[in-house]
Amino acid sequence: MASELIIKELHVAVNGQEILKGVNLTVQPGTVHAIMGPNGSGKSTLAYTIAGHPNYEVTDGEIIYKGENILELEADERSKLGIFLAFQYPVAVPGVTVANFLRAAINAQRAQEGVDPKETAIPMVQFRRELRAAMESLSMDESFARRYLNDGFSGGEKKRLEILQMTMLKPSMAVMDETDSGLDIDALRVVSEGVNRLLNPELGVLVITHYQRLLDYIKPQFVSVMMEGRVVRSGGPELALELEERGYDWIKEELVGDAS
Amino acid sequence: MQANELQNMPTLGLLSSDMIAAQARAANEPEWMVTWRAEAWDFFAQAAPPKWRRTQLAELQQETIAPLFKAQGTAIQWDKALESKGVVFSSLAAALHTHEDLIRPHIGTAVNPLAHKFSAMRAALWQDGVLLYVPRNVEVELPLRLSYTLADGSRAMFPYTIVILEQHARLSLVEEYTSRGIPETALVAPTTELFIGPGAEVRYLTLQQQGQGVYQIGGQVMQLGRDALGKWTSIALGGQLQHMELEARMQGDGSRINWVGATFGNQQQNLVTVPWLRHIGTNTESHLEFKTVVTDKSYSVFDGMIKIEHESHSTVTRLEEHAIHLGSEARSDSIPGLMIDTNDVARAGHASTSGQVDEEQLFYMQARGIRPDEAKRLIVMGFFEPALAAVPLEALRESLEAAIEAKI
Ligand SMILES: Nc1ncnc2c1ncn2[C@@H]1O[C@H](COP(=O)(O)OP(=O)(O)OP(=O)(O)O)[C@@H](O)[C@H]1O
Ligand SMILES: [Mg+2]
């Protein structure tokens, strides 16, 4: 089965206002694809739309994953298909511990239609072992497991927790929305190494970032630039380096040139 | 409970203070208690029904309420070895004979029996009840458990609890209200008075899990002495109607209350909670965090009040109430009040939210594969976590979680 993520002519509106104006993009399994672009260009909108946020209304276009039109699926169904979104702004849920949340998420992934959830649930001992190992690999203190989900977490702690979830849930298509923002230099390395350990021939990764620094660690094969709701340039890793050096204005100018 | 036994009992409308006094004398109660009951009944007989806002009392008819003149469902669980330390945990009726000296100066001093019709009824008619006494410097490590159960087929119960902690005593108490069978319209009208002495510390968990037809109408007052600390958890899940007047009374200087509440209404329940934070002493501190979840056609009311008395100085108080609506037909009202009779308040804070389950929380969970119904369950359990975390017994916590989950 073709397991690439294919986005075709995607138009998305929020509160009746069109934000994405025809995005085309393909992410092959086993590749890392970076998306860059100025603030407000629609990167997070794209990420939320892939994950299935109900407020993002797809007015036209398609998103195909594993041969399925995922626009018809609820967010939880997309997740069960292997799609994972590392949030730019992770959400706090007071009163729900990280451990309980992760266990509920893992059990949701393991659940099967028509089977008693108790039968498919991860055994407690196995869960604890996997959680401990994953936390250790991301240099997270064990006490994090008992804290409430993102509640009072620092910016960097939240991002680390996103990657902990990715590590535990083992998605086949990960969208990482500015996972580097808020991380200090050491944390950036630890988190990037964590992501790199997860890379495998089945995993497609879409990395949204503003900085080359992250791409020094997590090396993309493809780089696309978004502006005003469209992908306006695509290339190899050298495109990111060029953006780092020159900013976005030259692309804008070229676009204006193209148009006239 | 024998059906004929109930049929022979006079209903409220047919009782008189003479009959009540005669019953008390027959039970060998001291004469002051006989008088206390009779006076309360006289007050009851002439008082107009209270006009409590947003409380649907219309279907509670006094013709259907027939009090039994004997205890029907008081149960206590504790370690008898505590007796050697001077701890008393006994039925109130028995304690009237063994510890009259403790009861007489306390009863009716925190909860005024002549406040309104229901408080008077409770004072006149109590049969179930408990005295819990912890002497000076005695620390009761394990939680003591007290439960009042409305018997199957019974129509009324008036439990009366008196808790006294002497100086520097420590106690953890779980007080439960339940009912057997599926009661028709029945009244459970409890009174609890807690007297927490100087430097003493109490953890008080009170749990209302009445069956469907029960009207629980009661009063609970925790009176805190100098530097005393109260940790109060009020959980209300059951009943057709609840109207509970609660008060943390910070009488002594430096006394503090840390209070969390959790109320969950479903079906047609009308659950009203009237918590007061009353600051009398100086440098007193209160924190109340009250959580409400409503679903189906239930109606929940938080009618709270912060009262800072004239003689109090440097008060710190914070009141938070939050409500989640799981269905569009469920309602909740929050009507917090603030009465300040002093111009010396250190800090008074208030926060309030109400609405559906947070969409972003829901999406975050769904994005991890969790189905919306399971996500809501997790969010609601998390919402109640401050109250659940205060439940001192693991088995009780699990049964409470199951009861909450069953309502979602
Ligand atoms: N929920 C929303 N309500 C209103 N406007 C929105 C909403 N979400 C996105 N927008 C608007 O859509 C545009 C694109 O926003 P988006 O968050 O996708 O940008 P971005 O590329 O991720 O930016 P950044 O680099 O700052 O994270 C912005 O103008 C933003 O204000
Ligand atoms: Mg963004």
Side-chain angles (χ1 to χ4, degrees), chain A residues 43-44 88 177-178:
Chain A
K43 304 180 298 296
S44 293
Q88 182 175 4
D177 193 357
E178 293 197 28

Side-chain angles (χ1 to χ4, degrees), chain B residues 303-322:
Chain B
D303 190 356
M305 177 63 74
I306 300 172
K307 176 97 167 73
I308 306 179
E309 303 285 358
H310 179 68
E311 58 269 45
S312 114
H313 296 280
S314 306
T315 295
V316 173
T317 175
R318 178 156 181 85
L319 167 63
E320 278 186 49
E321 356 91 40
H322 304 285

Side-chain angles (χ1 to χ4, degrees), chain B residues 254-271:
Chain B
S255 56
R256 285 170 296 150
I257 182 78
N258 212 325
W259 194 353
V260 292
T263 295
F264 192 159
N266 66 338
Q267 297 177 354
Q268 311 265 353
Q269 285 183 297
N270 176 201
L271 302 177

